Amino acid sequence: MNPDSPFPSVTWEVDGDPCETQEKALSAIKNNMEAFIICTRGNDFLQAICDDPESYHCEMSFAAGKKRELYVAPDNVNYSQLCDLFSRYAAGEDFSHLKEEWTLYVNKTHFYTSLIIGLLVLGIAIFLLFRSPNF
């Protein structure tokens, strides 16, 4: 990283492995249904996966103190748009406006797990309340 640069260093990954250049990363995801790429910039990152040929799902993560916020693009993008998005991100463009344009991903797993456990406990309580004694 250049200490005089106002932007954090950028790293690329393809399927979790380091990748040398942006061109190689974007080439690896083109029409590859199993590939995903990540461009890391400081504590934030932009990632994408190929949903189908010429359709890519994108997510952006922003470090927010000790928490991390993940935003999901409202629509899939085509390959040309994907290349433009990653090029601008790697160049250091401010993407904070995406917090208003993209959807904040909220993990609802804890809520659903609690709901299922609550219903299970309620079911057991009803069963025990209405079961007939077997003497």
Side-chain angles (χ1 to χ4, degrees):
M1 179 161 98
N2 178 356
D4 298 327
S5 174
F7 307 114
S9 65
V10 172
T11 59
W12 294 90
E13 291 181 22
V14 175
D15 298 332
D17 296 322
C19 185
E20 296 173 11
T21 67
Q22 175 179 345
E23 292 76 23
K24 287 183 181 180
L26 290 168
S27 169
I29 197 174
K30 177 136 177 78
N31 300 323
N32 185 346
M33 296 287 288
E34 298 185 15
F36 67 91
I37 62 173
I38 299 175
C39 178
T40 305
R41 188 173 78 182
N43 293 324
D44 301 333
F45 63 83
L46 175 63
Q47 63 186 7
I49 188 166
C50 181
D51 282 340
D52 59 62
E54 286 297 313
S55 180
Y56 302 88
H57 172 83
C58 296
E59 300 174 341
M60 169 142 321
S61 175
F62 296 96
K66 293 184 179 182
K67 290 180 19 180
R68 180 166 293 283
E69 297 176 336
L70 184 66
Y71 290 83
V72 179
D75 299 311
N76 285 350
V77 298
N78 64 36
Y79 186 72
S80 175
Q81 292 168 322
L82 181 79
C83 290
D84 179 60
L85 188 66
F86 273 95
S87 293
R88 291 181 9 235
Y89 184 77
E93 186 174 316
D94 180 16
F95 274 41
S96 62
H97 66 279
L98 293 182
K99 291 181 180 183
E100 296 167 8
E101 298 170 14
W102 290 19
T103 304
L104 176 62
Y105 173 77
V106 179
N107 186 350
K108 297 181 181 177
T109 306
H110 180 68
F111 169 75
Y112 291 124
T113 303
S114 299
L115 181 63
I116 290 169
I117 291 171
L119 290 173
L120 182 61
V121 169
L122 180 62
I124 291 170
I126 291 171
F127 171 76
L128 292 174
L129 183 63
F130 291 108
R131 80 173 196 187
S132 59
N134 294 332
F135 298 154

